[in-house]
Amino acid sequence: MKKALITGITGQAGSYLAEFLLEKGYEVFGLYRRGSTDGIFERIEHLAGKVKLICADLTDLNSLEKAFEIVMPDEVYNLASQSHVGVSFLQPSYTQEVNWLGVERIIFCIKKYVPKAKLYQASTSELFGEVLEIPQSETTPFNPVSPYATAKLNAHKAVGQARKEGLFACAGILFNNESPRRGIEFVTRKFTDGIARIKLGLPQRGTGKSYLELGNLEAKRDWGFSGDYVEAMWLMLQQDKPKDYVIATGETRTIREFIEIATKQVGIKIIWKGKGMNEEGYDQNGKLIIKVNEDYFRPSEVRLLLGDASKARKELGWKPKMSFEDLVKSMVESDLENLI
């Protein structure tokens, strides 16, 4: 039986990957970081007794070494990170410590304990930043515009160097992947939770207002379902040679489109009025439900991300299964159930 070690197992992708690997017959181990709040295991509660959890931290080499000594994994999936782009502007040093140097520590542990193990590193479409070509593929130049993306780029380079040194190390350049398990602090869950609250007549989380405040409505993203993307991670480690792959749907949608699908799902027809910073959205009864707020614009805004996953389709035989519309609907339905 193969042994897999997942860092970030308590996160969105980590929980889906754990499910996937268990179905494949793996013995699954997960690293988790101690937290002072309840609910860190919420996404994997249904896997209790099926996965083995070890407390460790990417910023602490000693804890990582102990974890590797215990597990001696065949495959390592590094999904742990300081994953919020906005927070990275507030905590750039910590973001670098986790997202870059944490990967260096993992590579060190693989070399020391399990040099034959295979490593998957979660890279990100944020590497492309202020994009230099459309769509973005494995050959597109990187142009990061946030501390988060810069740290991830350093980690991406570290994986490439480890591969040159003989390790089976590869990175998935994943475009935005979402699900009902997305953290509430992320913008897509803010959308779906906010729309569900409007439908139920509840105040907005954190503000108490009756309407939802958003940033750039025209920002475009390539959104896919996290549960589809974990299959691509696994497929990368089943190849004869390690390579990096872009994982994306190949479709781009604006935040405006996301909101329109979400509101339609709860029976609201949104009517837009005004332009730019003065734009507002009203329901069919004339009630204000959406308002643009410049405070939600990033210091450096990535405006268009569109992935070209043709290499993954050809070499891995991978393609996304869930449509954008079904993804948004599933998130809205989940948030409605959570609030009722």
Side-chain angles (χ1 to χ4, degrees), residues 37-98:
T37 58
D38 296 331
I40 62 171
F41 300 113
E42 181 178 1
R43 296 183 183 93
I44 57 171
E45 283 180 345
H46 63 296
L47 301 179
K50 297 179 182 180
V51 299
K52 301 174 178 64
L53 300 176
I54 302 170
C55 185
D57 195 308
L58 264 63
T59 65
D60 183 79
L61 179 59
N62 185 56
S63 68
L64 287 177
E65 288 198 74
K66 288 181 179 178
F68 272 82
E69 284 183 296
I70 292 169
V71 181
M72 300 297 285
D74 299 293
E75 297 176 1
V76 179
Y77 296 85
N78 180 39
L79 309 185
S81 72
Q82 189 300 95
S83 56
H84 198 287
V85 176
V87 169
S88 76
F89 288 97
L90 302 174
Q91 300 179 348
S93 296
Y94 176 72
T95 300
Q96 175 177 274
E97 189 68 33
V98 177

Side-chain angles (χ1 to χ4, degrees), residues 159-176:
V159 169
Q161 181 60 37
R163 185 162 59 231
K164 291 178 181 178
E165 295 171 2
L167 292 188
F168 192 110
C170 59
I173 306 172
L174 268 61
F175 280 62
N176 293 64

Side-chain angles (χ1 to χ4, degrees), residues 182-198:
R182 189 57 141 155
I184 195 66
E185 71 274 17
F186 288 90
V187 69
T188 51
R189 274 296 306 285
K190 176 184 176 180
F191 298 164
T192 57
D193 175 75
I195 296 301
R197 287 173 176 275
I198 289 170

Side-chain angles (χ1 to χ4, degrees), residues 181-331:
R181 299 179 191 176
R182 189 57 141 155
I184 195 66
E185 71 274 17
F186 288 90
V187 69
T188 51
R189 274 296 306 285
K190 176 184 176 180
F191 298 164
T192 57
D193 175 75
I195 296 301
R197 287 173 176 275
I198 289 170
K199 175 64 178 179
L200 298 174
L202 300 174
Q204 292 299 309
R205 190 186 300 268
T207 69
K209 296 176 180 178
S210 61
Y211 55 86
L212 180 61
E213 293 182 313
L214 303 178
N216 182 10
L217 293 173
E218 304 310 323
K220 296 180 178 179
R221 294 292 184 271
D222 185 325
W223 277 299
F225 173 49
S226 184
D228 288 342
Y229 285 27
V230 299
E231 179 186 19
M233 301 175 189
W234 175 76
L235 285 169
M236 289 182 207
L237 299 195
Q238 312 315 307
Q239 305 306 301
D240 293 332
K241 294 181 179 180
K243 298 179 183 179
D244 299 334
Y245 292 89
V246 163
I247 304 300
T249 68
E251 297 181 0
T252 187
R253 302 294 188 108
T254 63
I255 288 175
R256 185 189 303 277
E257 289 177 277
F258 194 112
I259 294 299
E260 289 174 347
I261 293 173
T263 51
K264 183 179 179 180
Q265 178 65 16
V266 297
I268 296 174
K269 178 177 175 56
I270 191 166
I271 301 167
W272 300 103
K273 296 181 180 180
K275 291 185 179 182
M277 296 303 303
N278 297 315
E279 188 165 14
E280 296 175 335
Y282 294 82
D283 68 12
Q284 58 267 46
N285 299 315
K287 180 183 177 182
L288 176 67
I289 59 172
I290 303 291
K291 188 177 180 65
V292 172
N293 186 334
E294 63 180 341
D295 291 342
Y296 293 107
F297 283 70
R298 292 181 185 173
S300 296
E301 185 70 45
V302 176
R303 301 189 183 280
L304 172 59
L305 291 173
L306 174 61
D308 176 4
S310 56
K311 179 181 174 183
R313 290 174 180 262
K314 180 180 179 181
E315 297 184 8
L316 303 179
W318 176 87
K319 63 180 180 180
K321 299 179 179 67
M322 182 178 287
S323 70
F324 175 70
E325 289 79 5
D326 287 343
L327 172 61
V328 176
K329 290 176 182 178
S330 72
M331 294 177 67

